[in-house]
Amino acid sequence: MKKNIISSIVLSLCAVIFFTMAYASQNNDKKYKPRDGIIYIYGAGGPHTALIRAAKVFTKKTGTPVKVVFGPESKWTERAQRNADIIWGTSEQSMTAFLETYKEFSSDDVEPIYIRRAVIAVQKGNPKGIKGFEDLLRPGMRIVVTEGAGVYNTSGTGLWEDVAGRLGRLSDVKAFRKNIVVFAKGSGASFRAFKELKADAWITWIHWPLTHPNDADFVELSPDRVIYRDLTVVTNAKADPQAREFIEFLKGKEAQDIFKSEGWSR
């Protein structure tokens, strides 16, 4: 009997030690260890097209590889917590949300580097003849908007409401809301819904139609309706030292030309 009890205790202790070591190993894998000679930069989709183009030029000039990882945060968050040299935010609110997770980065070090405007994306050829925001209030219009749905970090959160409510008229918000057919989580999902549903319009950022000219045209919002949000970046002292060099490059003339072609300005 004693032997059975001792054996059970030993087995239990071994199990505890095993799971403790496994847990410690798992946690150790998630430790922040960014200095590997590669600049890893993470963020939401949209600015990634310009960032990838700029990264190629930077790598060619310096020899330092840059890996641009983009998309919904859920797809890259574990990797970013281990090796992110730079985080980019597609708006101030999205960067603030990122910093809740990526504790190695400080709000004091966040730098806005570009800004862009909202537009109305329409189907190729603008079949509904949309000329401005007021046309979106017509009964029967089918509109896609981007939202965070409370848990999804995206620069498009609240954008449609900002545009619709810009003149302080509740009637505009109500009429616009009646025409929304999809509240999509993130711009990528919004773009897919816009195409698949052949929606009449999508309130989005200028770089989406500019980088997808075969899928969409766009109509400018009037000056009293247009909304701007910025692109921010942040690094830290533990990151690869070349990360700061890349950020400086992003602000320079060569990168500015790339970003300007996709609707970004400084």
Side-chain angles (χ1 to χ4, degrees), residues 155 182 186 262:
S155 63
V182 173
E262 297 190 11

Side-chain angles (χ1 to χ4, degrees), residues 146-191:
T146 305
E147 272 295 1
V151 296
Y152 200 98
N153 187 4
T154 172
S155 63
T157 298
L159 175 60
W160 73 267
E161 182 181 5
D162 288 347
V163 173
R166 195 85 161 85
L167 305 186
R169 294 198 296 250
L170 182 60
S171 58
D172 287 353
V173 179
K174 292 173 71 174
F176 186 93
R177 199 181 200 287
K178 285 182 179 179
N179 289 338
I180 296 173
V181 293
V182 173
F183 293 87
K185 293 181 180 179
S187 293
S190 299
F191 182 52

Side-chain angles (χ1 to χ4, degrees), residues 121 123 144 146 184 186-197 202 204 208-209 211-216:
Q123 297 294 329
V144 170
T146 305
S187 293
S190 299
F191 182 52
R192 289 191 294 275
F194 172 75
K195 290 194 299 178
E196 291 169 5
L197 298 178
W202 168 33
T204 188
W208 279 95
T211 55
H212 298 86
N214 295 327
D215 298 302

